[in-house]
Amino acid sequence: MIRNIVFDMGHVLVYFSPKTFIERLGVSEEDGRRLLREVFKDREWVQLDRGTLSEEDAVRAICGRLPGHLHEAVRELVCGWWKRPLLPVEGMAELLGELKGLGYGIYLLSNANRQLPQYFERIPGAGYFDGRIVSADWLLLKPQREIYEKLYEVYDLKPEECFFIDDQPANIEGAWCTGMDGAVFDGDMARLRRQLRSAGVPVRETDAKQGQPGAVNIRQG
């Protein structure tokens, strides 16, 4: 029986769009491509999420590969992207509230750096969470088995009583390998609600015309 719902953050609670962050800086297309490659697609971003590299060291390393006129942009992207508006995933805050009202435990399991506490409360629905495991705090990354086990250990959860929602198939597979069921979220809220219902979580169906939960009879799958 499912008692707890575990959420990823990027592209599940809020959209994470490096291209959007870069566009806000007003740089040229060529410089934008450089920043995307060197900031978000090289090893430092992974090391930040794993918690093995400080922000200052990341900025220093990335700036060493880029011309001087982009150094302030690098610092903004590494240290301050989250200070800009966060774009919530439509319908997710309502789902969180519904799950909380049904009595489910709500947890976060995210690959993220140590900045997360500075902006997490700005995410719609953040107040519903009972706990969170952030990769950088434990020097681990999804889909490592150990990060899922850390979630169970810290919050005294049983994997078979948890359901994980993540946008990356590899992370859902990692959850399955530890005994936790889950679903890959691709932005389709109606589909996610059907998957939850199939797992025995009695959330409402979504009215396809309105895009909002509708008042329907609940049929658990």
Side-chain angles (χ1 to χ4, degrees), residues 3 11 19-20 23 60 62 64 76 101 140 166 202 218 220:
R3 301 180 186 276
H11 295 294
K19 288 184 179 180
T20 300
E23 287 170 359
R60 189 177 303 110
I62 296 168
E76 167 74 9
L140 296 168
D166 195 292
I218 301 299
Q220 295 188 15

Side-chain angles (χ1 to χ4, degrees), residues 100-132:
K100 195 66 175 178
L102 289 169
Y104 288 90
I106 307 294
Y107 296 90
L108 180 79
L109 179 60
S110 178
N111 283 352
N113 63 35
R114 293 196 175 98
Q115 294 173 334
L116 184 137
Q118 300 182 62
Y119 63 85
F120 186 70
E121 295 305 319
R122 293 167 51 202
I123 297 173
Y128 295 122
F129 281 80
D130 297 290
R132 62 192 186 210

Side-chain angles (χ1 to χ4, degrees), residues 20 23 43 61 82 88 147 163 166 168 173 180 183:
T20 300
E23 287 170 359
R43 60 188 178 275
W82 51 270
I147 196 168
F163 190 91
D166 195 292
Q168 296 296 317
E173 183 182 18
M180 176 166 56

Side-chain angles (χ1 to χ4, degrees), residues 178-215:
T178 67
M180 176 166 56
D181 198 2
V184 178
F185 179 63
D186 62 357
D188 187 336
M189 188 61 66
R191 179 171 179 264
L192 176 59
R193 283 177 171 271
R194 289 195 299 270
Q195 291 171 309
L196 285 166
R197 286 163 57 80
S198 293
V201 180
V203 293
R204 292 172 289 167
E205 291 182 356
T206 296
D207 184 331
K209 294 181 180 180
Q210 300 297 325
Q212 297 295 331

Side-chain angles (χ1 to χ4, degrees), residues 27-87:
V27 298
S28 70
E29 288 188 15
E30 181 181 354
D31 283 341
R33 288 193 293 270
R34 286 179 173 181
L35 289 167
L36 181 65
R37 181 181 64 245
E38 299 296 343
V39 176
F40 294 100
K41 295 185 180 295
D42 215 314
R43 60 188 178 275
E44 288 85 9
W45 197 262
V46 177
Q47 292 173 316
L48 286 167
D49 280 356
R50 192 186 289 276
T52 56
L53 186 70
S54 71
E55 293 173 19
E56 287 302 319
D57 286 342
V59 169
R60 189 177 303 110
I62 296 168
C63 285
R65 303 193 295 268
L66 288 169
H69 73 277
L70 290 178
H71 289 184
E72 281 305 310
V74 170
R75 181 169 295 278
E76 167 74 9
L77 292 170
V78 172
C79 303
W81 65 266
W82 51 270
K83 298 176 183 178
R84 305 292 184 101
L86 300 176
L87 182 61

